[in-house]
């Protein structure tokens, strides 16, 4: 890391304080510290229950009303489901629920401290029934390991499914992790009163319920991705030309791929200095992000290439590869030369 990074003026924004419980149940999770201070978010202590894919929220609300001393965090990637569940939570007036629009892998890794979760609920996950799509299933060994690092000893990962192949897959993956004892208790009635459970039951499909109970075997250490004080960047000597050839490129970096799609904008600063934005995608295991990388004339003879803070990107090793990819494109397409790589 170059000493010049410590004086860089474009510091990443600091996380804001956690929202109090009288605010919206919709959680602006990217503004929280990692891991999140759940006692402050809920303004109460108690068991912490995480539900993955809460659908229309009916199960979440029922459990929250039945267990007012527990805290429920719902995770969902569907905007439509999020809106329906949010309306239900507000209509029912439950104060011990928070909803977040994010995937389970990211949320567990970023928002929850090791051994802090009491239960993880997965009701009727997408079965991805075709063999070639099995890699997309949630309950793979890697997820069992991540969940095991966040569940307390004795905590539970609870699965409900109508799909026998998915059930067998999850049982095998959970056993392979070595972190759980597998139980087959009767399902709580509310589990089979969800939207999909009612649909499958009307069709006469058998419904399955499994509890993976966290044992005493140590889980792998899985740390949150960092929130840097300085955004990843590179410094180059020279002047940005008026234009440069640009083609879509795909680079492998760390554990994933960086895709540079297009030179999204060529802008002039107040003093006429060049300012380019490159639209990029980062794809890595369990995470996909759409990002912007800035290339800007910082002084008459210096250009900075920096990951933009727009969208509050998670800074992973592959995310840093966006800065590397744009830097390498500029070195190949212009007369610029690199003086520092801070990514």
């Amino acid at each position: 890391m170059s000493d010049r990074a410590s004086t860089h003026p474009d510091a990443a924004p600091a996380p804001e304080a956690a929202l109090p419980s009288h605010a919206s149940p919709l959680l602006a999770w990217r503004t929280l510290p990692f891991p999140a201070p759940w006692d402050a978010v809920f303004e109460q202590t108690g068991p912490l229950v995480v539900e993955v894919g809460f659908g229309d929220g009916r199960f979440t609300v029922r459990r929250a009303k039945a267990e007012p001393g527990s805290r429920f965090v719902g995770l969902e990637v569907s905007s439509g489901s999020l809106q329906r569940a949010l309306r239900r939570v507000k209509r029912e007036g439950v104060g011990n629920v928070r909803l977040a629009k994010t995937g389970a892998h990211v949320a567990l890794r970023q928002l929850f401290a090791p051994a802090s979760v009491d239960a993880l609920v997965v009701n009727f996950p997408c079965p991805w029934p075709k063999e070639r799509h099995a890699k997309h299933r949630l309950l793979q060994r890697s997820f069992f390991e991540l969940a095991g690092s966040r569940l307390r000893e004795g905590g539970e990962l609870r699965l409900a499914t109508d799909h026998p192949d998915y059930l067998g897959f999850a049982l095998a993956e959970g056993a392979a992790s070595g972190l759980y004892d597998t139980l087959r208790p009767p399902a709580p009635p509310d589990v089979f009163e969800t939207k999909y459970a009612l649909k499958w039951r009307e069709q006469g499909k058998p419904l399955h319920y499994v509890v993976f109970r966290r044992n005493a075997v140590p889980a792998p250490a899985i740390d949150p991705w960092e929130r840097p004080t300085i955004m990843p960047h590179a410094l180059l000597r020279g002047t940005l030309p008026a234009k440069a050839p640009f083609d879509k490129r795909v680079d492998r970096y760390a554990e994933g791929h960086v895709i540079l799609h297009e030179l999204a904008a060529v802008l002039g600063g107040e003093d006429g200095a060049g300012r380019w934005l490159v639209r990029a995608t980062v794809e890595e295991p369990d995470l996909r992000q759409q990002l912007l990388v800035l290339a800007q004339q910082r002084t008459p003879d210096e250009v900075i290439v920096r990951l933009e803070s727009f969208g509050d990107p998670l800074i992973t090793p592959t995310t840093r590869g966006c800065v590397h990819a744009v830097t390498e494109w500029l070195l190949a397409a212009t007369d610029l030369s690199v003086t520092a790589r801070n990514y």
Side-chain angles (χ1 to χ4, degrees):
M1 178 72 72
S2 166
D3 291 339
R4 303 181 73 170
S6 61
T7 60
H8 190 275
D10 297 300
E16 299 173 5
L19 295 176
S21 59
H22 54 73
S24 170
L26 181 61
L27 191 66
W29 65 270
R30 288 180 180 270
T31 69
L32 296 173
F34 297 156
W38 293 112
D39 290 355
V41 170
F42 283 96
E43 292 188 331
Q44 72 176 72
T45 60
L48 192 58
V49 180
V50 181
E51 183 180 357
V52 178
F54 49 73
D56 61 8
R58 69 181 70 182
F59 176 82
T60 317
V61 168
R62 285 177 179 173
R63 296 315 310 153
K65 294 175 74 173
E67 301 177 38
S70 295
R71 302 169 297 174
F72 293 82
V73 181
L75 310 175
E76 180 61 74
V77 296
S78 165
S79 296
S81 294
L82 181 68
Q83 291 298 324
R84 287 188 288 273
L86 185 60
R87 287 195 294 268
R88 186 184 296 270
V89 170
K90 291 181 176 179
R91 184 171 65 247
E92 298 288 338
V94 291
N96 58 335
V97 172
R98 296 291 179 272
L99 306 178
K101 189 178 186 301
T102 183
H105 292 89
V106 171
L108 282 180
R109 182 165 185 162
Q110 298 302 104
L111 300 179
F112 299 94
S116 66
V117 177
D118 292 88
L120 183 62
V121 177
V122 184
N123 286 335
F124 302 96
C126 179
W128 293 98
K130 295 182 179 180
E131 185 176 351
R132 68 178 184 274
H133 293 157
K135 63 183 179 181
H136 299 301
R137 289 174 173 170
L138 175 66
L139 294 185
Q140 301 186 49
R141 177 173 177 171
S142 60
F143 184 79
F144 276 106
E145 291 176 348
L146 173 59
S149 74
R150 289 349 188 211
L151 286 166
R152 63 168 177 81
E153 185 176 338
E156 297 178 346
L157 191 162
R158 303 163 185 166
L159 168 67
T161 181
D162 65 297
H163 199 274
D165 288 345
Y166 195 99
L167 173 67
F169 178 87
L171 289 170
E173 295 291 292
S177 75
L179 301 176
Y180 303 87
D181 298 325
T182 304
L183 310 175
R184 300 296 297 271
D190 286 348
V191 170
F192 293 153
E193 296 297 326
T194 63
K195 173 183 175 181
Y196 287 108
L198 294 173
K199 177 181 178 180
W200 305 146
R201 196 160 59 182
E202 289 176 358
Q203 296 178 4
K205 289 186 176 183
L207 303 178
H208 309 282
Y209 184 71
V210 185
V211 171
F212 298 91
R213 182 167 293 165
R214 184 71 176 89
N215 59 31
V217 175
I222 302 176
D223 297 325
W225 290 299
E226 66 179 301
R227 190 195 295 273
T229 56
I230 300 294
M231 294 300 271
H233 66 280
L235 300 175
L236 292 82
R237 180 181 294 111
T239 304
L240 279 174
K243 59 182 180 179
F246 184 95
D247 294 309
K248 178 180 176 180
R249 60 185 287 168
V250 180
D251 293 345
R252 181 159 186 83
Y253 199 91
E255 297 183 354
H257 291 87
V258 173
I259 306 168
L260 301 185
H261 295 284
E262 61 183 336
L263 189 61
V266 180
L267 308 172
E270 293 181 359
D271 58 356
R275 177 182 168 90
W276 298 356
L277 286 172
V278 178
R279 185 171 67 87
T281 298
V282 168
E283 295 182 343
E284 50 195 309
D286 309 324
L287 181 63
R288 186 175 189 270
Q289 300 188 81
Q290 301 284 337
L291 306 170
L292 291 174
V293 181
L294 169 73
Q296 182 177 25
Q297 194 75 45
R298 191 180 181 196
T299 69
D301 63 348
E302 184 176 77
V303 172
I304 185 170
V305 177
R306 187 196 70 218
L307 184 65
E308 282 283 73
S309 60
F310 174 80
D312 195 12
L314 296 173
I315 309 302
T316 69
T318 309
T319 303
R320 296 177 181 278
C322 278
V323 176
H324 176 76
V326 173
T327 299
E328 292 302 301
W329 161 63
L330 284 170
L331 293 176
T334 70
D335 294 329
L336 295 167
S337 59
V338 68
T339 59
R341 297 177 188 266
N342 300 305
Y343 51 81

